[in-house]
Amino acid sequence: MSEPPPRGAERDIFRDTWVRYLGYANEVGEAFRSLVPAAVVWLSYGVSSSYVLADAIDKGKKAGDVRSPEAGRSTRVTVAVVDTFVWQALASVAIPGFTINRVCAASLYILGTATRWPLSIRKWTTTALGLLVIPVIIHPIDSIHWSPAHHCPLSHRSVDFLLDSSLRKLYPSVEKPSSS
C-alpha cells in the first residue's frame, strides 16, 4: 500500500485504506486458478477492474474540483482520469495478474514433472506459492503518491518509470497528475 498521506493531507480512500486491496483481487484469483472455476477468476478481475475505474473517476472528480482557470479544467480532468486508469490497470491488474498467472502455471508444471505428489497437493502448493508471491511483487510494481518532493529515482517504481517514459510525455503542459 502507498505511504500514509502527509499531515493535513486529505485521506485517499483508494490509496490509504483497505479499499486499496480490492485492486489486488485478481492476483488472489490467479493464485486460486487451479482450484476454482474460471468464472471465479474472472469475477476477481471484475473486482480489480471496478476498483481501477472507481479510482480513475475519483481522481477525475478531484482534478475537476481544483480552482484554476476554466480553460484547463477539462484537460486536467482528462489527464487525471487517463493517467490513473492506465497506471492502475497496469499496476493493479495487468502486470501482477500476469506475473501470478505465470508463477502458478510454472510451479504447477514443475511440480507435475519433478514430483509424484497427488494433483490436489500440487494444486494447493501452487496456490500457496501464488499467494506468497503477491507481497513480493507489489513493491516493485506499485508506487508511492507522486509529488514534487518525491520526484527522485528512489521513489519511482516500474509502472511510474514506464508511464514517465511514454504516456506522460504526451500530456499537455499541465501539473503532473497524482494518480500513482
Side-chain angles (χ1 to χ4, degrees), residues 124-139:
W124 277 105
T125 302
T126 294
T127 298
L129 288 170
L131 292 172
L132 289 170
V133 168
I134 293 171
V136 173
I137 67 169
I138 295 307
H139 190 65

Side-chain angles (χ1 to χ4, degrees), residues 46-118:
V47 171
S48 293
S49 297
S50 297
Y51 165 82
V52 168
L53 186 58
D55 190 27
I57 291 168
D58 177 66
K59 298 309 173 281
K61 286 182 180 178
K62 287 178 180 176
D65 291 344
V66 172
R67 301 251 188 233
S68 68
E70 200 59 33
R73 183 177 183 272
S74 64
T75 300
R76 191 173 54 255
V77 169
T78 301
V79 167
V81 169
V82 168
D83 192 77
T84 301
F85 184 83
V86 172
W87 189 91
Q88 285 285 14
L90 290 169
S92 296
V93 181
I95 296 171
F98 177 79
T99 303
I100 298 300
N101 177 284
R102 294 296 81 205
V103 165
C104 289
S107 66
L108 190 59
Y109 175 78
I110 291 168
L111 289 171
T113 58
T115 72
R116 292 181 182 237
W117 294 352

Side-chain angles (χ1 to χ4, degrees), residues 138-169:
I138 295 307
H139 190 65
I141 296 169
D142 217 328
S143 177
I144 63 173
H145 291 278
W146 189 93
S147 74
H150 289 123
H151 195 241
C152 68
L154 297 175
S155 68
H156 283 281
R157 303 291 184 255
S158 58
V159 174
D160 276 320
F161 178 78
L162 175 65
L163 291 183
D164 286 346
S165 302
S166 60
L167 181 64
R168 290 178 179 160
K169 290 182 179 215

